């Protein structure tokens, strides 16, 4: 009876794992399909916004509306691409291009690109590392997104006028 109970427990566990795997696969497929379906109309909207930006619209405040639409549509496109990337990563279909990268250069580049946001937030950056070459083997685009996200979160969640320490 003990062996039979253990076998039943093992079979039940295997069935639950199989169900969960099917559920995860369906969730990833749904996310992939939804994000893909959102990209098509968004691309059309971005194209029409680009055409509107080329026009000298009247009254003048309409140009400000177009600018807001442009910014928000680009942000939405970025979010959809992030969802698509997460879906690819979860399914194991993400292509990673490993290269030898200098972390100091990557962080300095990220700081340069985030400079306006840092200035607006009145945050000062205190770097506790040298610019000597410290290399990692990573995908530059993906690692840049990580460092940018960290800086953006620091700007978003830090109190104005404080410091960000980078080590």
């Amino acid at each position: 009876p003990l062996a039979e109970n253990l076998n039943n427990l093992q079979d039940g566990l295997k069935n639950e794992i199989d169900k969960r795997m099917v559920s995860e696969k369906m969730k990833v497929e749904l996310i992939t399909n939804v994000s893909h379906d959102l990209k098509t109309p968004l691309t059309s909207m971005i194209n029409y916004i680009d055409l509107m930006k080329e026009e000298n619209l009247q009254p003048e405040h309409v140009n400000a509306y177009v600018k807001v639409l442009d910014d928000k549509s680009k942000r939405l496109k970025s979010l959809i691409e992030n969802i698509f990337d997460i879906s690819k990563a979860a399914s194991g279909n993400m292509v990673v291009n490993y290269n030898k990268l200098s972390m100091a250069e990557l962080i300095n580049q990220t700081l340069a690109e985030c400079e306006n946001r840092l200035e607006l937030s009145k945050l000062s950056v205190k770097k506790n590392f040298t610019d000597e070459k410290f290399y990692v083997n990573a995908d530059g685009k993906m690692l840049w997104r990580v460092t940018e996200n960290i800086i953006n979160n620091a700007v978003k969640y830090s109190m104005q006028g404080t410091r960000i320490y980078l080590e």
Side-chain angles (χ1 to χ4, degrees):
L2 182 59
E4 188 176 324
N5 286 340
L6 283 174
N7 286 336
N8 287 340
L9 182 63
Q10 184 178 8
D11 290 342
L13 184 59
K14 184 182 179 317
N15 288 339
E16 282 302 312
I17 290 171
D18 289 344
K19 284 181 190 176
R20 194 166 287 239
M21 292 296 288
V22 168
S23 175
E24 284 296 314
K25 185 177 180 182
M26 289 175 61
K27 183 169 68 172
V28 167
E29 286 178 14
L30 175 66
I31 291 169
T32 301
N33 292 337
V34 168
S35 62
H36 188 271
D37 289 346
L38 290 171
K39 283 173 93 172
T40 304
L42 181 60
T43 301
S44 294
M45 291 167 58
I46 289 171
N47 290 336
Y48 279 109
I49 290 168
D50 287 343
L51 290 172
M52 291 171 68
K53 288 186 332 190
E54 293 176 9
E55 299 292 325
N56 187 18
L57 300 173
Q58 295 299 325
E60 186 59 36
H61 68 274
V62 174
N63 289 315
Y65 297 159
V66 171
K67 170 84 172 93
V68 170
L69 285 172
D70 186 40
D71 293 343
K72 298 298 180 183
S73 64
K74 286 178 181 169
R75 174 76 175 130
L76 183 57
K77 181 180 180 186
S78 174
L79 292 171
I80 291 170
E81 287 171 353
N82 289 346
I83 291 170
F84 197 69
D85 287 346
I86 290 168
S87 174
K88 286 194 299 188
S91 67
N93 293 328
M94 180 169 269
V95 177
V96 180
N97 299 310
Y98 290 98
N99 293 304
K100 184 178 177 181
L101 301 171
S102 166
M103 281 303 296
E105 286 178 19
L106 182 69
I107 292 170
N108 288 329
Q109 176 189 352
T110 305
L111 289 172
E113 294 199 20
C114 297
E115 188 174 6
N116 290 341
R117 281 173 270 163
L118 288 165
E119 285 178 8
L120 287 173
S121 66
K122 297 182 177 127
L123 293 170
S124 62
V125 176
K126 303 295 182 191
K127 295 192 310 184
N128 190 16
F129 61 90
T130 64
D131 286 338
E132 71 183 53
K133 304 296 181 198
F134 172 70
Y135 293 101
V136 294
N137 194 28
D139 185 305
K141 182 178 176 186
M142 290 181 189
L143 192 54
W144 182 83
R145 286 176 63 184
V146 170
T147 57
E148 181 194 34
N149 191 28
I150 291 170
I151 298 299
N152 284 336
N153 283 343
V155 169
K156 188 175 183 179
Y157 297 110
S158 296
M159 192 167 38
Q160 267 197 346
T162 59
R163 293 174 294 275
I164 299 171
Y165 292 93
L166 297 176
E167 296 187 11

